[in-house]
Amino acid sequence: MTDRVARDRSAGQNGDRAPRPRAWAAPVRAMSRILNADGTPRTTQPADAGRSGIVNCGLYVDGERRPGEWHYAEALAAAREERNGFVWLGLHEPELEEMTAIAATFGLHELAVEDAVKAQQRPKLERFGDVAFLVLRTARYCEHTELTENSEVVETGQVMLFIGPNFLISVRHGDACRLSPVRADLEAKRDLLEHGPWAVAYAVTDRVVDLYLEVADRLEDDLDVLEADVFDRQGSGRIQRIYQMKRELVEFKRAVVPLQRPLLTLTSQVNREVPQEVRRYFRDVQDHLSRTVEQVNSYDDLLNSILQARLAQVTVDQNNDMRKIAAWAAIGAVWTAIAGIYGMNFKYMPELGWTYGYPGVWALMLISSFTLYRLFRRNGWL
C-alpha cells in the first residue's frame, strides 16, 4: 500500500510513472540502509519532504504526559533518563526512508522494519532482542443501504506495535482503526499508563478487538437479512450476494482467528515481560476475542447452510420447470397423436364416413386435454 501511494504521488508530480522501490532481499542489504559505510546510523530524510508518517510523539513519565512537542530522538533520550518514562511514537503509513531512520534511533530489527513498511502480515508476536513486535489486523464495518454482489462489508487494515523497554511505536496502515481516541482515553487513566509501554499495547489491542465485536454484531444483521431473503419466495436470493458475503467474512476471519495465539502468549504466566496487572487486562481482551471467533465460525457455518439451501432451491425450481414443461408436452402430445392418426391416408378407418366425425375428434382432443390438465394440476405439476 505504501509503495503504491509513493508511486502515485511521484507520478502526479513528474507527469510519468515513478520507479517501483526495490524490496529488501537480505538482512545485509537491509542493514546497509540503516548504517553508513563507517558504521554510524544513517540519518536519511523521507523521500517526500512534505509528507511525514509521524502522527504523534509523546513522552510519558509516571503515567503522565510531559507537555510540549518532542522529536522522537529527544523524547527517547529523556525517557531513558527517567525511572518510569517511555515514548509513544505514532506513525501512519511511513515511508521506507523515514522508517529506516526511526529504526536506527530505536534499535529496531531490519526484518521487523520491513514487515512494518509492507503491511502484509498476519497477526503475530515476535521477539527481536528486548523489543517485541506485535502485528494486529484491524477491521471496520462499511455502511451500506443494500447488500449487493459488489458491496464492501468489511474494511481491513493493520496496526503494528514495536514494544521496547522505554518506548512503543505504533505503525498504522489504513483507516479501519484510528488510534487517537485510544491515546486520549489512555492519558486519562494514569494508574494504567504507569505500567509503561505494555499498557499502551493493551489499550491498542483492546480497541482493535472491540471493533471486531462491533463488526461481528453488524454482520449478524446482514446475515439475518440475507437468510430472510433466501427463504422468501418473493425475494431474489441471488447466489452472487451470498458468495460476496462469504468473501467478506473470510477477510474478517483472517483478521480475527490468527490473533488467538499472540494473545495466548501475552496472557501466559510464563511471560514475565508483560507486567502481571497488564496480563489481567490482556485476559479480558482474550475473552472478547474468543467470543468473536465463536461468532465468526458460526457465521461461516450459517453462510454455508444458506448457500446450500439456495442451491437446493435452484434445483427444486429447475425440477418444477421441467415438470411443467413435461406436463404441457403430454397435453400437446394428445393433439399430435389424434391428428396424426386421422391424418393417415387409409381408406378404411373408423368413423371416416360419420357425419359428426370432425366435431367428435375435436371433442375428444379437448376432453383428453382437460382431463390431463386436471390430473397434472392435482399432482402439483401445473
Side-chain angles (χ1 to χ4, degrees), residues 33-88:
R33 291 180 170 87
I34 300 178
L35 301 179
N36 294 317
D38 57 358
T40 59
R42 178 179 297 178
T43 57
T44 57
Q45 297 296 327
D48 187 354
R51 192 266 185 189
S52 175
I54 299 177
V55 177
N56 203 328
C57 181
L59 172 62
Y60 299 87
V61 178
D62 294 329
E64 291 186 352
R65 179 168 181 167
R66 290 289 177 87
E69 296 183 359
W70 294 82
H71 186 271
Y72 58 83
E74 298 174 353
L76 180 61
R80 288 173 175 171
E81 295 177 356
E82 301 288 344
R83 185 181 61 86
N84 192 19
F86 71 95
V87 179
W88 181 0

Side-chain angles (χ1 to χ4, degrees), residues 51-211:
R51 192 266 185 189
S52 175
I54 299 177
V55 177
N56 203 328
C57 181
L59 172 62
Y60 299 87
V61 178
D62 294 329
E64 291 186 352
R65 179 168 181 167
R66 290 289 177 87
E69 296 183 359
W70 294 82
H71 186 271
Y72 58 83
E74 298 174 353
L76 180 61
R80 288 173 175 171
E81 295 177 356
E82 301 288 344
R83 185 181 61 86
N84 192 19
F86 71 95
V87 179
W88 181 0
L89 176 63
L91 305 173
H92 178 236
E93 299 180 0
E95 302 287 349
L96 176 61
E97 290 79 4
E98 183 177 29
M99 193 65 203
T100 302
I102 294 174
T105 302
F106 288 88
L108 308 179
H109 197 276
E110 63 270 12
L111 295 179
V113 172
E114 178 185 4
D115 292 344
V117 173
K118 288 185 176 180
Q120 298 175 351
Q121 306 301 313
R122 69 192 305 270
K124 62 180 180 178
L125 176 64
E126 294 182 337
R127 296 290 310 181
F128 297 96
D130 58 351
V131 178
F133 181 55
L134 178 62
V135 178
L136 307 170
R137 292 196 67 178
T138 58
R140 181 178 65 178
Y141 181 82
C142 299
E143 298 289 344
H144 51 272
T145 56
E146 183 182 0
L147 181 63
T148 66
E149 53 266 27
N150 298 319
S151 297
E152 183 182 8
V153 182
V154 180
E155 176 188 356
T156 58
Q158 284 200 331
V159 170
M160 305 176 186
L161 303 179
F162 294 89
I163 310 162
N166 304 104
F167 64 87
L168 182 138
I169 303 174
S170 58
V171 183
R172 177 171 62 90
H173 290 266
D175 294 326
C177 177
R178 297 182 178 272
L179 299 182
S180 53
V182 178
R183 187 185 291 265
D185 293 341
L186 195 58
E187 288 177 355
K189 301 176 182 179
R190 177 178 177 180
D191 295 341
L192 180 60
L193 201 55
E194 286 180 347
H195 294 287
W198 282 107
V200 179
Y202 150 74
V204 174
T205 307
D206 183 59
R207 173 60 177 168
V208 171
V209 175
D210 284 345
L211 288 177

